[in-house]
Amino acid sequence: MINTLKSIIFFIIAGFFEIGGGYLIWLWIREGKGFEFAILGAILLILYGIVPTFQPATFGRTYAAYGGIFIALSVLWGWKVDNVVPDQFDIIGACIALIGVFIIMYWPRAIA
């Protein structure tokens, strides 16, 4: 249980680094913010690349599952940062993605 909780925390931290970094790059390019937005965004994106290495699973499994986390966190980011209220389809889609995360990462497997 502790390992699962640590894994989920690593996913959330990675998600905020990736989405936050991407958002800062977005603001720099699309909204003409200063170059410091690009630098901070790049740093966050580098940190995003490091955090998943702490996951116990293989690269492919970790990144496949992370895709579902990214979907859910992106919906939350849009809601809380960009003030775009998710509709029922956003919520349903995010829930389906999270179900996939839990199957990929945490479903018990037979030991081969």
Side-chain angles (χ1 to χ4, degrees):
M1 182 64 173
I2 294 294
N3 287 337
T4 300
L5 184 58
K6 283 173 42 178
S7 174
I8 292 168
I9 290 168
F10 285 137
F11 275 133
I12 291 169
I13 292 169
F16 280 112
F17 283 160
E18 185 183 17
I19 296 166
Y23 187 70
L24 290 172
I25 299 292
W26 177 280
L27 292 176
W28 170 56
I29 293 173
R30 298 273 303 248
E31 297 189 18
K33 300 289 184 182
F35 190 65
E36 63 274 9
F37 280 73
I39 297 298
L40 183 55
I43 291 168
L44 290 176
L45 289 169
I46 289 168
L47 291 172
Y48 153 69
I50 293 168
V51 172
T53 66
F54 298 114
Q55 290 288 355
T58 63
F59 177 86
R61 187 171 287 155
T62 296
Y63 275 80
Y66 175 70
I69 299 291
F70 181 82
I71 290 168
L73 289 177
S74 294
V75 170
L76 288 174
W77 186 280
W79 181 21
K80 294 302 179 182
V81 175
D82 280 340
N83 297 314
V84 177
V85 178
D87 63 19
Q88 67 188 18
F89 302 106
D90 295 325
I91 294 168
I92 291 168
C95 288
I96 290 169
L98 288 175
I99 290 168
V101 168
F102 283 94
I103 291 170
I104 290 168
M105 283 297 290
Y106 310 116
W107 197 266
R109 289 174 164 77
I111 298 173

